[in-house]
Amino acid sequence: EAKASGKNRYAFFDQEMTERAQASLSLRHDLERALDSDELCLYFQARVDIARSRICGLEALIRWNHPSRGLLQPADFLPLAERSDLICRLDHWVLKQACRESRQIQKDGPDFRIAINLSARDLYETKHLQRLIATLEVEGTQNPLPLEIEITESILMHDVELAMDNLRRIKAAAPDVTIAIDDFGSGYSSLNYLRQIPMDTLKIDRAFIADLGTENGGAAAIVRSIVELARNLNLHVVAEGVETEAQLGLLRELGVEEAQGFLFGRPAPIANVLDASRAPGFPQRREWNADN
Ligand code: C2E
Ligand code: MG
Ligand code: MG
Ligand code: MG
């Protein structure tokens, strides 16, 4: 009796695993097809210059309009894509598409940047890095807006010596492309390496921003020390995940230059983001921001 139910349980798990494997396999096929169709799309999120109260850049974030599952978020399909070269094909598509779409932007400030995200394979696998560099070389000079590439702190620290070498290669080929460390503060950067990494921008992990002004008094101290570090290393600082006026006020006091987050708008198609940024009062008055 016990044995039988044990067996059934295994049979059940077995079936569940098979189903899960098949689901991921079919998602993988779908994703390969999506690359060749027009199912992938970019959403953009504004980066705001806090002191000047104006938009100073856009981050491109991938979305997938799946024919039967609807609009999928990166968390729904990037983990799967990251298991193979697929992620590099996606990231390359994003780079080209972000450049294509950003050509329509009227440049209204000298520092308006288009940021894209890179994955570990882009940075560490020679074949993919070379292709990326070749494209950055072309786009970095042809694109009217300067490009920024974002790499998470944890990806950088995975093999920091190789990461530094490869970032130097990117800089050598495309000197106008800037480099941002994404989700900064949550990894384990050694200060000694930070000094040597050829980077331009630190994006403070949104976990610290979420804790600003709460009982957790440590967050402000951490943000303050990141700002000081950035000043000493001559880097720009961006706060990610800014959701409230209170957080924005604290960030201003702490000397953070730029902010990005739902307070200014959720990621959306480029036309919507640009419309919102041209609305009177942006970014102080937020009536235009339907989500808030
Ligand atoms: P990320 O690069 O740190 O991007 C910021 C993420 O935080 C975005 O999620 C954005 O929607 C979300 N976010 C922005 N403001 C707020 C806020 O105020 N509050 C909260 N709670 N969240 C906010 P998304 O678009 O789901 O992307 C998640 C991650 O997926 C990105 O994190 C990035 O690491 C990765 N990703 C997105 N697009 C690409 C891509 O084209 N290539 C690669 N390799 N990774 C990508
Ligand atoms: Mg999301
Ligand atoms: Mg990013
Ligand atoms: Mg981030």
Side-chain angles (χ1 to χ4, degrees), residues 63 73-75 206 262 267:
R63 298 289 185 268
Q73 304 288 320
R206 72 172 141 86
F262 294 169

Side-chain angles (χ1 to χ4, degrees), residues 67-245:
S68 59
R69 296 175 202 219
L71 188 69
L72 299 183
Q73 304 288 320
D76 301 323
F77 59 95
L78 286 191
L80 176 80
E82 277 162 356
R83 284 196 231 141
S84 74
D85 285 6
L86 250 181
I87 185 67
C88 302
R89 293 171 59 200
L90 289 182
D91 287 340
H92 195 257
W93 178 86
V94 170
L95 170 59
K96 304 268 286 182
Q97 183 66 17
C99 290
R100 209 171 292 138
E101 293 192 35
S102 64
R103 291 208 176 89
Q104 61 181 286
I105 296 172
Q106 293 281 323
K107 196 173 168 178
D108 60 349
D111 288 326
F112 196 109
R113 287 192 176 271
I114 301 296
I116 60 151
N117 295 280
L118 295 186
S119 63
R121 287 177 194 269
D122 297 314
L123 183 64
Y124 291 118
E125 293 181 18
T126 310
K127 184 176 77 177
H128 302 300
L129 183 73
Q130 278 171 350
R131 188 159 91 118
L132 186 80
I133 287 178
T135 305
L136 284 173
E137 227 175 326
V138 175
E139 296 291 352
T141 50
Q142 284 180 3
N143 205 58
L145 300 174
L147 299 173
E148 183 150 275
I149 54 178
E150 299 189 1
I151 300 164
T152 65
E153 183 183 23
S154 60
I155 289 178
L156 270 179
M157 291 303 136
H158 176 75
D159 183 348
V160 69
E161 299 281 351
L162 182 58
M164 285 193 294
D165 280 351
N166 289 344
L167 291 178
R168 287 195 196 100
R169 290 171 64 191
I170 293 174
K171 280 281 190 185
D176 294 336
V177 174
T178 53
I179 296 167
I181 303 194
D182 208 346
D183 304 350
F184 184 76
S186 54
Y188 301 91
S189 296
S190 114
L191 290 178
N192 185 43
Y193 282 127
L194 277 181
R195 210 166 40 80
Q196 302 172 59
I197 295 172
M199 58 175 168
D200 305 276
T201 305
L202 292 179
K203 297 191 77 177
I204 306 172
D205 193 282
R206 72 172 141 86
F208 301 113
I209 311 306
D211 281 348
L212 274 184
T214 66
E215 301 293 283
N216 186 349
I222 289 171
V223 172
R224 189 176 293 116
S225 56
I226 294 177
V227 170
E228 199 174 304
L229 176 75
R231 223 166 254 155
N232 290 331
L233 296 175
N234 203 14
L235 305 171
H236 294 285
V237 189
V238 184
E240 292 192 275
V242 180
E243 294 184 355
T244 68
E245 294 284 354

